[in-house]
Amino acid sequence: MTIAEWCIFGTLMLYLLTIASVKWIGFRRFDNARPRDPAFYNDPLRSRALGAHQNGIEAFPFFAVAVLLAEFRTGPQRLIDELAVLFLIVRIAYVLTYLGDRPTLRSILWSIGFAINLAIFFMPMLRGFWPV
């Protein structure tokens, strides 16, 4: 497996751990019989964790498809790997800013992550222009 493919797995684990950790920390109040109970998410931190989790679910498909398409269409693997690692780092920072209630920085990080996804996605189209 390539580094970029491991980053797909890492991105998946990130959005799962974002919500699992909040449920684990609040285990005395979390009712597994009603895992989507809105009352559990009334707490501001839990609410932000849910938002970060949901955004991770939204961001994951585009990232996974972009990486796999770039690899399938023989984009420069080293660049794909580097951008995938950068995307994962940006996503980790995004989750931390979401949990830390830093909306402006969070939006900037989201935009950077989306730009990275676009770069990976369109990399095969531009491969003739890459110096590698």
Side-chain angles (χ1 to χ4, degrees), residues 2-63:
T2 65
I3 292 171
E5 291 163 359
W6 279 109
C7 287
I8 292 172
F9 178 73
T11 303
L12 171 72
M13 293 308 297
L14 177 63
Y15 84 72
L16 291 175
L17 291 174
T18 300
I19 198 67
S21 62
V22 171
K23 289 180 179 181
W24 184 77
I25 291 169
F27 73 96
R28 295 195 190 277
R29 293 194 178 129
F30 179 70
D31 181 6
N32 199 41
R34 296 180 0 207
R36 301 187 192 275
D37 182 13
F40 179 76
Y41 300 102
N42 285 341
D43 176 76
L45 179 62
R46 292 181 196 152
S47 177
R48 290 192 304 271
L50 179 61
H53 169 73
Q54 290 171 336
N55 185 267
I57 291 171
E58 295 163 0
F60 177 76
F62 183 38
F63 174 64

Side-chain angles (χ1 to χ4, degrees), residues 70-88:
E71 289 184 342
F72 179 73
R73 294 292 182 185
T74 63
Q77 189 62 52
R78 182 174 173 209
L79 187 55
I80 295 169
D81 289 342
E82 290 170 352
L83 288 173
V85 168
L86 183 60
F87 177 79
L88 183 55

Side-chain angles (χ1 to χ4, degrees), residues 54-124:
Q54 290 171 336
N55 185 267
I57 291 171
E58 295 163 0
F60 177 76
F62 183 38
F63 174 64
V65 167
V67 166
L68 296 176
L69 176 68
E71 289 184 342
F72 179 73
R73 294 292 182 185
T74 63
Q77 189 62 52
R78 182 174 173 209
L79 187 55
I80 295 169
D81 289 342
E82 290 170 352
L83 288 173
V85 168
L86 183 60
F87 177 79
L88 183 55
I89 291 168
V90 167
R91 285 303 300 180
I92 291 169
Y94 175 87
V95 168
L96 293 175
T97 57
Y98 212 130
L99 294 176
D101 198 18
R102 307 291 300 227
T104 302
L105 182 55
R106 182 185 82 219
S107 295
I108 292 168
L109 289 169
W110 184 91
S111 298
I112 292 169
F114 189 72
I116 293 168
N117 271 342
L118 289 174
I120 296 170
F121 185 83
F122 288 110
M123 191 179 302

